[in-house]
Amino acid sequence: CFIFIIPRCLDRKYYLILTGLFILIMFYSCLYSFVKEKEYYISFLKGTWDYNTDTIGSIFGDKQQWGCFLGIAIPASCLFIYICFKTRINNILKILLTAVCSINILTCLVCSIASFCKTAIVANILFIFAIFVGLFVLSCKKRRIIPILGLVLVFVGCISLVLIPFLIPSMKEVGIFKIIIKAI
């Protein structure tokens, strides 16, 4: 409804306002979580945290209530950026809104991974995968080999990031790979 029906019913500017309010609420939620659960995030980044079923929360409550919103925050931010560039507004405002949405995407991605909400993680992975497939098909249609090669390399790099700790035992104790192993 949010992605397919409402944009057809509302003017682009009203849809930008509606989506922008949602994005601001999610950004505030992530910042609130960063402040409220500061010790958890620090230990998570160090790799010294312990997973439990009620890891972290935010203004929405526990991770399950928060995860429903985290799952759609990244697609909503990307859709906001797309509609922002299709709407007639000042270029400086477009750049500013894109920067805010990019920061929101990063914070929501970090929060969904740190909270280990499977709903949000799977939704974000599927969305990113769909974006890669869409860009790959678009590049193939336009017959541009360099973007196709770049997309394939990024996709292989992302998959390798998950597979490397399983293939090389000594990598299991190194920074980000230690977090990946603990998460899986």
Side-chain angles (χ1 to χ4, degrees), residues 52-183:
N52 59 32
T53 55
D54 189 33
T55 51
I56 59 174
S58 183
I59 60 174
F60 294 103
D62 63 356
K63 74 171 187 168
Q64 295 304 321
Q65 296 167 353
W66 192 28
C68 296
F69 291 96
L70 283 172
I72 60 170
I74 293 175
S77 296
C78 292
L79 183 66
F80 182 85
I81 292 170
Y82 175 76
I83 292 175
C84 182
F85 278 96
K86 292 288 185 178
T87 306
R88 284 184 168 173
I89 55 176
N90 189 351
N91 286 338
I92 295 172
L93 186 59
K94 286 181 186 180
I95 293 170
L96 180 66
L97 292 173
T98 301
V100 169
C101 284
S102 299
I103 293 169
N104 184 53
I105 289 170
L106 289 175
T107 57
C108 288
L109 191 62
V110 167
C111 288
S112 63
I113 291 171
S115 68
F116 288 102
C117 180
K118 289 177 233 150
T119 306
I121 292 171
V122 170
N124 292 331
I125 288 171
L126 289 175
F127 179 73
I128 291 169
F129 182 73
I131 291 292
F132 274 122
V133 169
L135 290 173
F136 182 75
V137 169
L138 184 65
S139 296
C140 287
K141 280 186 176 180
K142 295 190 177 194
R143 295 186 179 155
R144 294 184 179 155
I145 193 69
I146 293 175
I148 293 171
L149 185 61
L151 287 172
V152 169
L153 289 175
V154 167
F155 188 69
V156 168
C158 291
I159 291 176
S160 298
L161 186 66
V162 175
L163 292 179
I164 284 175
F166 293 109
L167 299 174
I168 304 171
S170 63
M171 297 298 281
K172 289 183 179 181
E173 298 300 321
V174 178
I176 185 117
F177 298 120
K178 187 176 181 181
I179 294 172
I180 292 170
I181 290 293
K182 234 179 191 182

Side-chain angles (χ1 to χ4, degrees), residues 2-97:
F2 192 72
I3 293 175
F4 296 113
I5 297 171
I6 294 175
R8 298 207 182 260
C9 299
L10 293 176
D11 184 46
R12 282 186 188 162
K13 289 185 181 181
Y14 292 123
Y15 188 69
L16 277 176
I17 292 170
L18 179 68
T19 312
L21 288 174
F22 174 76
I23 291 169
L24 286 175
I25 290 169
M26 287 310 301
F27 188 63
Y28 171 73
S29 169
C30 292
L31 291 179
Y32 179 81
S33 178
F34 287 148
V35 171
K36 180 182 173 196
E37 306 286 345
K38 183 173 90 172
E39 291 82 23
Y40 177 83
Y41 285 104
I42 291 171
S43 62
F44 176 78
L45 292 174
K46 287 181 181 177
T48 59
W49 52 270
D50 290 323
Y51 174 76
N52 59 32
T53 55
D54 189 33
T55 51
I56 59 174
S58 183
I59 60 174
F60 294 103
D62 63 356
K63 74 171 187 168
Q64 295 304 321
Q65 296 167 353
W66 192 28
C68 296
F69 291 96
L70 283 172
I72 60 170
I74 293 175
S77 296
C78 292
L79 183 66
F80 182 85
I81 292 170
Y82 175 76
I83 292 175
C84 182
F85 278 96
K86 292 288 185 178
T87 306
R88 284 184 168 173
I89 55 176
N90 189 351
N91 286 338
I92 295 172
L93 186 59
K94 286 181 186 180
I95 293 170
L96 180 66
L97 292 173

